[in-house]
Amino acid sequence: MNAQDALGNDGERRRRFARIALSFVAGPGDLVLGALLRSCGPAEAFAAVCDGRPPGPDGAAGPGGFPGLSRALARWAARLDAVPTDAKLAAWERAGIRIVCPGDPEWPTQLDVLGAARPLLLWLRGCADLRLACLRSVSVVGARAATAYGRHVATEMAAALAERDWAVISGGAYGIDGCAHLGALGGGGVTVSVLASGLSYGYPQGHHELFAAIAKQGAVVSEWPPDRSPTRPGFLVRNRVIAALSRGTVVVEAALRSGALNTARHARDLCRPLMAVPGPVTSTMSEGCHEIIREWGAVCVTRAQDVIEHVSPVGEGLADRRRGPARPRDSLDPKATAVLEAVPARAGAGPAAIAAAAGLDLDTTMRCLGALAAAGFVERCARGWRIRKNT
Amino acid sequence: MNAQDALGNDGERRRRFARIALSFVAGPGDLVLGALLRSCGPAEAFAAVCDGRPPGPDGAAGPGGFPGLSRALARWAARLDAVPTDAKLAAWERAGIRIVCPGDPEWPTQLDVLGAARPLLLWLRGCADLRLACLRSVSVVGARAATAYGRHVATEMAAALAERDWAVISGGAYGIDGCAHLGALGGGGVTVSVLASGLSYGYPQGHHELFAAIAKQGAVVSEWPPDRSPTRPGFLVRNRVIAALSRGTVVVEAALRSGALNTARHARDLCRPLMAVPGPVTSTMSEGCHEIIREWGAVCVTRAQDVIEHVSPVGEGLADRRRGPARPRDSLDPKATAVLEAVPARAGAGPAAIAAAAGLDLDTTMRCLGALAAAGFVERCARGWRIRKNT
């Protein structure tokens, strides 16, 4: 290894550590930090936090460069004691938690559309390669207080997506999130849970076994350091990642003030396909879905095939056309259909009356009646011809 | 009365009788007759049927004028014995059935958009003025084999439309049609039933009492002579009238092969607002509604207000904005909200930690904590401040 390489690797290691350190002093989605990182690297940014002054020889960001930068630097500096020791980081690594940074092979580059709100890094536990898993993925989100209907639909849809090799992305909450993961696991597919708490904290506690199962077949992901507890605004910040990771977002069941509509708004703002599953209009738990179908133009989807068609490139992943049940009379030609429709159900009618009603001549009518009788549609009776009852 | 007037009235009477006679020899929606009536008056058309040759000195329609005209004239002539006597017509009039022709004050001129498929005339029983009733009307249609859900929604929606002075238009079938009428009657409004059978025949028989109730508060209408029984194709022919009479059509519940989708197609082809009520995706009886929302761009409506907003002129009939339940914290200002969201639920935290988490200075944080405590959102505890549980 020559000196250049060693220096390069060392620089890379410094940048990575700076990113990790910054993730402990600033909260996810901090737009001031995002703006700072667009003007300098993470190492310079972290040095600025430690120095308490903007980076560059004369404070390069300068007056007006980043509104609130000085205040933010002070705020971040106040939390410098939260930056973990190497031993702590190594302990998390031993616990199966890895860190994925922008530029890493596993980094999902679709997150870059978030701009200044792009995550600093992601904490990850699981066997899936996050980038590969999310290339063909759909976010399935909805209410915690889901109804039996919503839980059923989320489970079935996620299972059907998994069976068609589409990964499912969701949060970690009870209700629709949990059902989406369970459905994907049952369908033998990859599923990704994006938490608003640290991975070791794993909120909600009742889903610890689910998170373990997800890690075995997919990945559990978070922007927060492993031991952080969740906060209310954290869920909203997290939602942008759920929307940005996947090709499109489906809201399965959501009331008007559901957090799932916040994820939907992120998907819409990112111009990603947005879909919603309708439900009974008598259920307040579907009001949010109906609202975004009507007011935002979300596509009304009722099955996994609809979702796949909508998130696939034009002409790929086409859903089967829906058809009602086939009926025997569908295969009749137009003249035979006209004759059949002119034959009375009960009383019976003569060929002349049937010909007049069908608007056909007598010869054609007689020929059609013969064919219809042979096929079991009509039968002779005292007064002529009548519809044959199904036997 | 001078000779001119007498002749004029006489001409009017002849034209009216010709229209009635034609309605007995040709079926509703007969496009050949519709085309003929665009080139000559009803009296000339009826004379042509009686003469068995196209109207005009040398058969004005001429070769290629109307494809199928000669055959149609022969077909119509074969049914001339169906033309009723004056006594028969007078008997129907005594039975409360009146005839409304194009040009009559009660004729709903919006039917003229049907062109050659415009009804020859309408048979009508009821107290409502058809033209006035339909000026502010919505067609509410759906499946005969409706579920309890569909029946409930149709009834409620029609009642709410009636309460807002919108007339309801539908067919006469069991299921959604019947519920729409019952809802409108219950809401004290006008309702119009468009039948595919004659008014005296009144199909289905089980709705005779309903038809009587509709006539008392609205109108029962048909293109078919009063004693005609219905035919399968007749229902499809009838549907264009349901779509054309109203400002817009709502499909409440329909499977994929429901006749209600035929009415929806007419509404779409006439460029009238088309709406559908979503339902559980697990119900095949809502598949047709979801299909037209997704594939045809039908508007997803969940209540009468949505319907009225969609069929009203821009800026009129606006629906209330949907809101979820109001929460006390909605009224807090952004800083107080940030502080409240930084206060832990159970353990409690000191003001400095809360200020850091909220991204605010200590003074502002202390002021907000005081206000939040006074409003009952937070309380002091051993370790600082915590969320106050609802008591």
Side-chain angles (χ1 to χ4, degrees):
Chain A
M1 186 193 290
N2 61 31
Q4 190 65 42
D5 276 358
L7 199 66
N9 283 342
D10 190 52
E12 178 54 37
R13 220 171 292 131
R14 275 203 304 134
R15 278 195 292 277
R16 194 176 185 84
F17 175 78
R19 233 174 224 289
I20 295 168
L22 286 169
S23 81
F24 281 84
V25 301
D30 188 317
L31 294 175
V32 179
L33 180 57
L36 180 60
L37 285 175
R38 294 186 130 187
S39 76
C40 69
E44 292 76 20
F46 185 57
V49 174
C50 297
D51 299 349
R53 56 186 285 274
D58 42 45
F66 304 109
L69 179 56
S70 301
R71 244 185 22 206
L73 285 171
R75 199 166 68 232
W76 299 331
R79 294 191 224 168
L80 272 172
D81 56 356
V83 176
T85 59
D86 284 348
K88 182 82 186 154
L89 288 173
W92 281 326
E93 198 176 337
R94 280 195 304 277
I97 295 175
R98 62 186 186 274
I99 295 172
V100 181
C101 289
D104 288 356
E106 197 179 349
W107 180 255
T109 49
Q110 62 270 38
L111 292 182
D112 299 351
V113 300
L114 291 169
R118 181 180 78 167
L120 268 175
L121 52 75
L122 290 172
W123 301 83
L124 194 150
R125 175 186 269 148
C127 64
D129 178 292
L130 186 63
R131 197 183 69 82
L132 290 181
C134 296
L135 285 179
R136 248 172 92 90
S137 67
V138 174
S139 299
V140 177
V141 300
R144 274 183 302 173
T147 67
Y149 167 73
R151 298 171 64 89
H152 169 78
V153 173
T155 309
E156 293 292 312
M157 182 171 278
L161 286 168
E163 282 161 7
R164 289 165 174 82
D165 290 329
W166 282 80
V168 168
I169 296 174
S170 192
Y174 295 123
I176 300 300
D177 289 11
C179 290
H181 293 304
L182 284 171
L185 293 173
V190 172
T191 191
V192 176
S193 175
V194 185
L195 303 188
S197 69
L199 296 185
S200 304
Y201 190 94
Y203 178 87
Q205 306 259 336
H207 269 175
H208 274 194
E209 280 183 30
L210 175 63
F211 296 146
I214 293 172
K216 275 196 191 136
Q217 204 168 318
V220 188
V221 175
S222 175
E223 292 179 81
W224 280 266
D227 50 7
R228 289 283 170 87
S229 60
T231 63
R232 271 173 57 91
F235 289 97
L236 300 178
V237 169
R238 180 273 317 261
N239 289 342
R240 79 195 194 293
V241 177
I242 293 180
L245 271 177
S246 67
R247 290 250 202 114
T249 295
V250 186
V251 183
V252 174
E253 192 176 47
L256 283 174
R257 297 199 57 169
S258 169
L261 295 192
N262 173 264
T263 311
R265 194 172 293 114
H266 281 298
R268 184 188 64 171
D269 293 349
L270 294 170
C271 298
R272 297 279 170 85
L274 175 60
M275 297 151 280
V277 177
V281 299
T282 46
S283 163
T284 56
M285 289 311 295
S286 283
E287 282 184 5
C289 291
H290 299 147
E291 177 89 354
I292 67 173
I293 290 173
R294 188 180 46 250
E295 303 292 338
W296 301 10
V299 171
C300 172
V301 292
T302 60
R303 48 178 192 168
Q305 285 188 58
D306 295 341
V307 174
I308 292 170
E309 177 170 310
H310 195 53
V311 298
S312 295
V314 170
E316 288 178 29
L318 298 180
D320 302 335
R321 249 200 89 195
R322 272 180 191 70
R323 292 178 194 286
R327 294 171 192 161
R329 62 169 73 204
D330 291 346
S331 55
L332 298 176
D333 70 30
K335 283 179 183 168
T337 301
V339 170
L340 179 57
E341 292 184 332
V343 175
R346 294 201 194 106
I354 293 169
L360 293 169
D361 61 64
L362 195 59
D363 277 358
T364 309
T365 303
M366 287 302 293
R367 208 178 54 242
C368 289
L369 283 169
L372 288 168
F377 287 103
V378 302
E379 61 187 4
R380 284 174 198 277
C381 64
R383 295 179 58 186
W385 296 85
R386 68 179 173 197
I387 298 291
R388 187 169 159 185
K389 294 277 168 235
N390 294 332
T391 48
Chain B
M1 186 193 293
N2 61 29
Q4 191 65 43
D5 276 357
L7 198 66
N9 284 342
D10 190 49
E12 179 54 38
R13 220 171 293 130
R14 275 202 305 134
R15 277 195 292 277
R16 193 175 185 84
F17 176 77
R19 235 175 222 290
I20 295 168
L22 286 169
S23 80
F24 281 85
V25 301
D30 187 317
L31 294 175
V32 179
L33 181 56
L36 180 60
L37 286 175
R38 294 186 130 186
S39 76
C40 69
E44 292 75 22
F46 186 57
V49 175
C50 297
D51 298 348
R53 55 185 287 273
D58 41 45
F66 303 109
L69 179 56
S70 301
R71 247 187 18 209
L73 285 171
R75 198 166 68 232
W76 300 332
R79 295 190 224 169
L80 273 172
D81 56 357
V83 176
T85 59
D86 284 350
K88 183 81 186 154
L89 287 172
W92 280 325
E93 197 175 338
R94 281 195 304 277
I97 296 176
R98 62 187 187 273
I99 295 171
V100 181
C101 289
D104 288 355
E106 196 177 350
W107 180 255
T109 50
Q110 62 270 39
L111 291 182
D112 299 351
V113 300
L114 291 169
R118 182 180 76 166
L120 268 174
L121 52 75
L122 291 171
W123 302 83
L124 195 150
R125 175 186 268 148
C127 65
D129 178 293
L130 186 63
R131 197 183 69 81
L132 290 181
C134 296
L135 285 179
R136 248 172 92 91
S137 68
V138 174
S139 298
V140 178
V141 300
R144 274 183 302 171
T147 66
Y149 168 72
R151 299 172 63 89
H152 169 77
V153 173
T155 308
E156 292 292 312
M157 182 170 278
L161 286 168
E163 282 161 7
R164 288 164 174 82
D165 290 329
W166 281 81
V168 168
I169 295 174
S170 191
Y174 296 122
I176 300 300
D177 289 12
C179 289
H181 293 304
L182 284 171
L185 293 173
V190 172
T191 191
V192 176
S193 175
V194 185
L195 302 188
S197 69
L199 297 185
S200 304
Y201 190 94
Y203 177 88
Q205 305 260 335
H207 269 173
H208 275 194
E209 280 182 30
L210 175 63
F211 296 145
I214 294 172
K216 275 195 191 136
Q217 205 168 317
V220 187
V221 174
S222 175
E223 293 179 81
W224 280 267
D227 50 7
R228 290 283 171 87
S229 60
T231 64
R232 271 173 57 93
F235 288 97
L236 300 179
V237 170
R238 179 274 316 263
N239 288 343
R240 78 195 194 294
V241 177
I242 293 180
L245 271 177
S246 68
R247 290 250 202 116
T249 294
V250 186
V251 183
V252 174
E253 193 176 47
L256 283 174
R257 298 199 56 168
S258 169
L261 296 192
N262 173 264
T263 311
R265 194 171 293 114
H266 281 297
R268 184 188 63 171
D269 293 349
L270 294 169
C271 298
R272 297 279 170 85
L274 175 60
M275 298 151 279
V277 177
V281 298
T282 46
S283 163
T284 57
M285 290 309 296
S286 283
E287 283 184 4
C289 292
H290 299 146
E291 178 89 354
I292 67 174
I293 290 173
R294 187 179 46 251
E295 304 292 338
W296 302 10
V299 171
C300 172
V301 292
T302 59
R303 49 177 193 169
Q305 285 187 59
D306 295 341
V307 174
I308 292 170
E309 178 169 309
H310 195 53
V311 297
S312 295
V314 170
E316 289 179 27
L318 298 181
D320 302 336
R321 250 201 88 194
R322 271 180 191 71
R323 291 178 195 284
R327 294 170 192 162
R329 62 168 74 202
D330 292 345
S331 55
L332 297 177
D333 70 30
K335 283 179 184 169
T337 302
V339 169
L340 178 58
E341 291 183 334
V343 174
R346 295 201 194 106
I354 293 170
L360 293 168
D361 60 64
L362 195 59
D363 277 358
T364 308
T365 303
M366 288 303 293
R367 208 177 55 241
C368 289
L369 282 170
L372 288 168
F377 288 103
V378 301
E379 61 187 5
R380 285 174 197 276
C381 64
R383 296 179 57 187
W385 296 84
R386 67 179 174 197
I387 298 292
R388 186 168 160 186
K389 295 278 168 232
N390 294 332
T391 47

